[in-house]
Structure formats: C-alpha cells, structure tokens
C-alpha cells in the first residue's frame, strides 16, 4: 500500500491516461475500435513532446532523475489538475534510494494554536494531520464530531470513522462524497510522505477491512481540500450544511498539520443549529480528551 515503488507510478499515470479521450486532447479521433480506454502511451508522448520510449520508461517508474520540465510536459499532456500535478512530483521525489520506513513522531500542538482554536467560539474548528487524526479541537469542533469521538481509540481518526464505524453513513448524508474525499486525501498524503509507517498501517487496515475503501484506493484519485460545503446530520441538532476552510499551519509543514474551520451562513437554519450545538457543548454534555 505504499507509493514508493514503480507500480504506483504506472498505475497513477495509466489511470490518468484512461480519463482523457483523443478528442479531449485535441488529437484526431479517426475510425475503428481502440484497444485501450483514453490515450495510448504513444499519444501522451506526442502531446508531451517526448519519445514514446522515454514515456514508457517513465510509466515503469524510472522517474527519479526526470527533470521538472519533463514532468510538467507530461502533466499538461494528461490535463492534470493542481493536486494531481503535485502528486506526480511527490512520486518523483519518493523514488530515491530506499529509506527505512519511519514511524511518525507524535506532533506537539503549540499552546498558541490551542488558544486560537478556543477563541473561535462561534466556529467549529479542529487541527488534523495528513493521516486524518484529529489532534486538537475547540469545544464546538469536538461537539460537531461527537459521533467520531464515541470510539475510545485515540487519536480519533476520520478515515477510520468513515469506513469502519456504522454511524458514519448517518452522520454524513452524502457519504459517498465524504468517502471519496477521505481516500483522495489519504492518497495525496501517501504521495507526500511515503515512508510514514503509521500512515501505511492505517491504509493497510482500511484496505483489509473495507471493500468500499479498497475500491476507491485503486482509483488513484488525489485532491486538495481547501474550501467547500460539507453536509452533516448531527444526532443532537440534525441537519448542518457548513462551509469549511482548511489552512496549512505555517511552520508545521513537515508534520502536515491543517486547521479546518466550519461556519454557517448567517441567519440560515444551519446557523441556528450550530448555535444550539454550541449551547449543548457549553453545558458540558460532550466532554472527552482529544489526545492519547
């Protein structure tokens, strides 16, 4: 389940080739039946301005010494978006002389970050790592994700909750979208940090125990998760349609920490429900430690 191997590169590039038709790429469509979905390797080579032999070597994983300009040309030929392009470059960085997989050290959340979270009284906020462990919250963030915290295992992990907890499909009304996003975020992190044994162990566990996860993992989709609308059905206050904004924390890039804040449109039913949830949290009916 790691990305530090030629098979990962081959499967990622092949999956991206399969998504683009010759017509979408501006190539003559011609007639007759095609043997492969999407673009052939030689067509990608033409579009990228490289030899077919060179591109075939690239798909075999011979990517460690490829110049950035050549990877950029391949990214343009395959119509990669920003997340996919970043993933391709991460794969290139990963294919280096083998390093011993490392276990991630427990990140330390600075007291100043916790104070920032606690000051956001009308906003549900949390800090997570790339493995989707929740490492810190404010009271409203803890209350929002109360169903995930019901599992005593710490740290609470959103991927484990999504695929292995029966409550997740009730909590996420658009569960398929939540599941797709979860896997894409883990795939992105696996490209960024391929030697993280804790991440690899989580991916292996999910793939072993969840067909839904395994199918999505095989699609090789990646994404950046910066802002959008997330839908919840909270067991206490009901439906919540919240805007999320996710921000990488300055100075913590090596640990991959992200602060995510959830807000509601002023005057909306979700704003009213979020206010009720804040009152519920303030009453002390939802207390639980976030850390180990």
């Amino acid at each position: 389940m790691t990305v530090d191997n030629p098979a990962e590169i081959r499967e990622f590039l092949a999956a991206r080739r399969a998504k683009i038709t010759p017509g979408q790429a501006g190539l003559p469509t011609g007639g007759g039946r095609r043997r492969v979905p999407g673009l052939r390797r030689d067509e990608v080579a033409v579009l990228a301005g490289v030899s077919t032999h060179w591109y075939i070597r690239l798909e075999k994983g011979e990517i460690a010494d490829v110049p950035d300009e050549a990877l950029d040309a391949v990214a343009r030929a395959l119509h990669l978006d920003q997340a996919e392009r970043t993933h391709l470059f991460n794969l290139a960085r990963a294919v280096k002389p083998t390093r011993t997989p490392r276990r991630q050290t427990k990140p330390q959340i600075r007291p100043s970050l916790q104070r920032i979270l606690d000051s956001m009284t009308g906003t549900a906020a949390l800090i997570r790592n790339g493995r989707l462990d929740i490492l810190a919250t404010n009271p409203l963030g803890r209350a929002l994700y109360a169903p995930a915290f019901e599992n005593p295992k710490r740290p609470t992990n959103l991927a484990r909750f999504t695929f292995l907890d029966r409550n997740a499909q009730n909590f996420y009304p658009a569960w398929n979208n939540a599941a797709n996003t979860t896997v894409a975020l883990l795939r992105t992190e696996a490209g960024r940090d391929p030697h993280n044994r804790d991440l690899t162990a989580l991916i292996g566990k999910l793939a072993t125990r969840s067909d839904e996860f395994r199918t999505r993992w095989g699609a090789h989709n990646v994404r950046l998760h910066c802002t959008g609308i997330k839908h919840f059905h909270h067991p206490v206050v009901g439906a919540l349609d919240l805007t999320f904004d996710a921000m990488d924390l300055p100075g913590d890039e090596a640990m991959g920490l992200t602060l995510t804040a959830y807000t509601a449109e002023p005057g909306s039913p979700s704003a009213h429900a979020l206010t009720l949830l804040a009152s519920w949290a303030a009453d002390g009916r939802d207390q639980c430690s976030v850390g180990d």
Side-chain angles (χ1 to χ4, degrees):
M1 282 302 184
T2 63
V3 300
D4 191 15
N5 56 70
E8 174 70 19
I9 298 163
R10 180 179 66 250
E11 291 167 8
F12 174 68
L13 290 174
R16 301 288 79 78
R17 279 196 293 116
K19 294 175 65 175
I20 304 173
T21 66
Q24 290 171 329
L27 295 173
T29 55
R33 185 175 180 179
R34 296 176 61 86
R35 295 174 57 189
V36 297
L39 295 176
R40 299 190 301 264
R41 290 173 176 172
D42 61 303
E43 291 171 330
V44 176
V46 169
L47 291 167
V50 299
S51 72
T52 300
H53 175 70
W54 183 90
Y55 181 76
I56 290 173
R57 288 178 54 212
L58 183 69
E59 276 206 10
K60 288 182 178 179
E62 298 179 29
I63 194 173
D65 298 319
V66 173
D68 289 353
E69 294 80 5
L71 289 180
D72 267 327
V74 171
R76 288 193 298 271
L78 293 174
H79 295 190
L80 301 189
D81 61 23
Q82 182 181 353
E84 293 167 332
R85 180 188 178 280
T86 299
H87 187 61
L88 178 62
F89 276 76
N90 284 338
L91 293 177
R93 284 191 290 269
V95 184
K96 301 292 183 183
T98 303
R99 293 164 43 193
T100 302
R102 62 177 178 81
R103 186 170 297 280
Q104 187 178 42
T105 58
K106 182 179 178 181
Q108 299 296 316
I109 302 301
R110 301 192 302 274
S112 59
L113 291 176
Q114 186 63 59
R115 291 196 295 269
I116 290 171
L117 291 178
D118 292 339
S119 71
M120 302 166 71
T121 55
T123 297
L126 59 86
I127 294 173
R128 64 163 178 83
N129 60 15
R131 189 177 176 268
L132 304 187
D133 295 322
I134 298 179
L135 303 176
T137 71
N138 64 2
L140 187 50
R142 169 64 179 80
L144 175 63
Y145 276 97
F149 281 95
E150 289 180 2
N151 188 319
K153 185 175 178 62
R154 294 292 181 267
T156 295
N157 180 271
L158 294 177
R160 192 169 58 233
F161 172 69
T162 300
F163 287 99
L164 303 184
D165 193 314
R166 67 182 64 184
N167 294 319
Q169 296 204 17
N170 291 328
F171 185 61
Y172 297 126
W175 184 85
N176 280 324
N177 290 338
N180 290 340
T181 296
T182 297
V183 175
L185 290 175
L186 287 182
R187 174 67 80 174
T188 302
E189 181 65 10
R192 188 190 74 85
D193 191 9
H195 305 289
N196 187 324
R197 288 192 297 171
D198 290 337
L199 175 62
T200 301
L202 173 66
I203 293 166
K205 178 179 181 179
L206 294 174
T208 300
R209 297 181 57 184
S210 171
D211 291 339
E212 294 278 8
F213 177 87
R214 189 164 54 250
T215 298
R216 288 170 170 81
W217 185 257
H220 291 264
N221 291 328
V222 294
R223 68 173 294 165
L224 301 177
H225 202 53
C226 300
T227 188
I229 304 295
K230 198 167 184 71
H231 307 286
F232 303 92
H233 187 273
H234 196 277
V236 174
V237 299
L240 287 161
D241 301 321
L242 303 179
T243 300
F244 71 86
D245 291 279
M247 297 149 276
D248 293 337
L249 293 176
D252 290 299
E253 291 87 350
M255 292 188 293
L257 299 187
T258 299
L259 189 156
T260 304
Y262 297 89
T263 58
E265 186 71 24
S268 67
S270 290
H272 177 65
L274 200 61
T275 300
L276 290 178
L277 188 61
S279 298
W280 181 68
D283 287 343
R285 285 175 283 178
D286 190 42
Q287 298 299 318
C288 187
S289 174
V290 173
D292 290 325

